[in-house]
Amino acid sequence: MGGGASNPHAGQGRVVWVDAARCVAMFLVFFGHLGPGWFPALGPLIAAVYTFHMPLFFLLSGLFFSPAIRFRALLAKRAKTLLVPYYVFSSFALVVPLVKLLRPSLYAQAGKSTAVDPLRDVTGILLAQGGSGLWFLWSLFSALLFLWCLARIAKGNRIALFALFAAFVGLGYAVGSSAVFPMLPFQLGNLFKATAWVGFGYLLARSIDIKRLDRLPLAGRLAAAIALFALFAASFLMVSAYQQAHGSTPLFYLCRSAATVLGIAMAIALSLLLPSLSWISTIGRCSLVFYALNDISLKTTKFALFSLARIHAPAMALPAQLAIGLLAVILAMSACYWANILIQRHARWTLGDL
């Protein structure tokens, strides 16, 4: 990944490593959504990915947050760019009940429930409850508004904000363990945790020059990134394994928080190692489209592999499941890549570009 004028994206106002990190995060979203029901041998790896892949997205979004914007302008801008795509693309989530109605055996072979309640699914999407639809977009919208209020009240006190966000992480676990709070409308049950990670991104950008990483000499940056990636990856795997073995105890949540931080650091270090390729930049720059289409593209890909091609992944050994899983991710992301071209050219209104 080159720096300065040799970088093909340097003159476009983009931060190249952030786009690369978004690409990494998007790959992890696709991989995490493979589902342990379809790929049981990948269950521990998928569980490890779930500890940090969405906090990584929140943190990357917080890098560009500014409380200097007027609240009304922030509200209008984010409603267009987050809520319009949420309601447009969340309609694809209704594919699940449709497939369950038409082909219940496909879900039964993965040990999934074939019960169908379309009204509950529609209500969950409209009110953005739990994991319905593209929950991340509503959660980010609420977190940005809440963060604006907190940043204004704190008047830029980074120490106070850091302590508050750390407390929010703990509150997020407490709220998440409840049966009621996760089902609050408009992702309010996820507000503390989402605000914390967006806020950490905001504080990170205030503490370092995030654009400077693109301008560092290539050789020195690669050497440092390789060392950091190896360190963070080894630490992440050890903490994740320890966390998965200790159930819902205070130590479990402490280890999970550590795994989240280490996973984010590992992903960022990896982003500094990626070459400056146009397709990586495209996925990072257009990550909203890939996120919006990941569910439908993965479900279509898994349907093709498991139903049409008659591949029975749940019965396979770990290496075969990993190979089939990576194939499914590549095929699904490729479909999204071409769909993104069509959306950018002919349907930008779906992204809030009204």
Side-chain angles (χ1 to χ4, degrees):
M1 187 182 297
S6 64
N7 193 312
H9 310 293
Q12 301 175 16
R14 306 290 304 185
V15 182
V16 179
W17 74 264
V18 174
D19 282 341
R22 285 195 176 118
C23 179
V24 171
M26 189 49 57
F27 173 85
L28 294 172
V29 168
F30 276 79
F31 187 85
H33 287 178
L34 286 174
W38 304 105
F39 299 89
L42 300 182
L45 185 56
I46 290 174
V49 166
Y50 263 81
T51 62
F52 74 95
H53 71 325
M54 297 315 292
L56 172 60
F57 260 123
F58 282 119
L59 182 139
L60 293 174
S61 298
L63 293 175
F64 303 99
F65 172 80
S66 172
I69 188 174
R70 291 180 179 274
F71 185 81
R72 184 177 296 180
L74 176 67
L75 179 67
K77 178 181 179 181
R78 292 308 182 181
K80 287 196 336 182
T81 59
L82 293 175
L83 300 190
V84 170
Y86 171 86
Y87 284 108
V88 170
F89 290 105
S90 283
S91 61
F92 289 127
L94 297 177
V95 169
V96 175
L98 180 62
V99 172
K100 285 181 179 179
L101 282 171
L102 299 178
R103 192 68 183 274
S105 61
L106 185 63
Y107 280 79
Q109 76 176 20
K112 292 180 174 289
S113 171
T114 56
V116 179
D117 186 354
L119 180 59
R120 183 187 64 183
D121 294 325
V122 171
T123 302
I125 288 174
L126 289 176
L127 297 180
Q129 294 174 303
S132 297
L134 304 173
W135 65 270
F136 169 80
L137 299 181
W138 245 112
S139 191
L140 179 59
F141 174 77
S142 300
L144 288 170
L145 299 184
F146 192 29
L147 177 59
W148 186 93
C149 298
L150 295 174
R152 286 298 188 101
I153 293 172
K155 297 181 179 179
N157 189 319
R158 282 181 270 185
I159 296 177
L161 286 172
F162 182 87
L164 186 62
F165 299 150
F168 278 4
V169 172
L171 280 172
Y173 287 132
V175 168
S177 63
S178 164
V180 177
F181 282 98
M183 295 308 294
L184 288 176
F186 310 122
Q187 290 299 307
L188 294 179
N190 199 39
L191 183 62
F192 291 122
K193 191 180 295 185
T195 303
W197 293 110
V198 176
F200 285 139
Y202 164 64
L203 292 180
L204 180 63
R206 291 193 62 200
S207 302
I208 65 172
D209 181 0
I210 62 173
K211 294 184 178 181
R212 186 182 177 188
L213 294 178
D214 284 342
R215 301 192 295 266
L216 292 176
L218 180 60
R221 184 174 65 181
L222 288 180
I226 290 172
L228 290 173
F229 175 76
L231 174 63
F232 292 138
S235 301
F236 170 76
L237 292 174
M238 288 189 294
V239 172
S240 294
Y242 188 83
Q243 166 227 317
Q244 292 183 32
H246 283 78
S248 297
T249 65
L251 185 59
F252 168 86
Y253 292 112
L254 182 62
C255 289
R256 188 175 180 88
S257 297
T260 302
V261 173
L262 290 168
I264 290 173
M266 176 181 65
I268 290 176
L270 178 60
S271 72
L272 297 174
L273 295 173
L274 294 179
S276 185
L277 301 176
S278 61
W279 64 268
I280 292 177
S281 174
T282 296
I283 295 175
R285 189 175 65 253
C286 304
S287 56
L288 189 151
V289 175
F290 282 78
Y291 173 68
L293 298 178
N294 87 89
D295 187 66
I296 182 65
S297 63
L298 263 178
K299 283 182 170 62
T300 303
T301 300
K302 288 190 285 189
F303 178 80
L305 292 174
F306 301 152
S307 183
L308 302 181
R310 304 291 182 180
I311 295 175
H312 190 56
M316 295 179 175
L318 173 59
Q321 284 193 26
L322 182 59
I324 296 298
L326 291 176
L327 175 62
V329 169
I330 292 171
L331 292 175
M333 292 190 74
S334 297
C336 289
Y337 190 91
W338 293 106
N340 174 63
I341 294 176
L342 295 176
I343 289 171
Q344 297 294 340
R345 289 179 179 175
H346 306 295
R348 288 197 56 84
W349 63 270
T350 63
L351 306 177
D353 190 2
L354 306 175

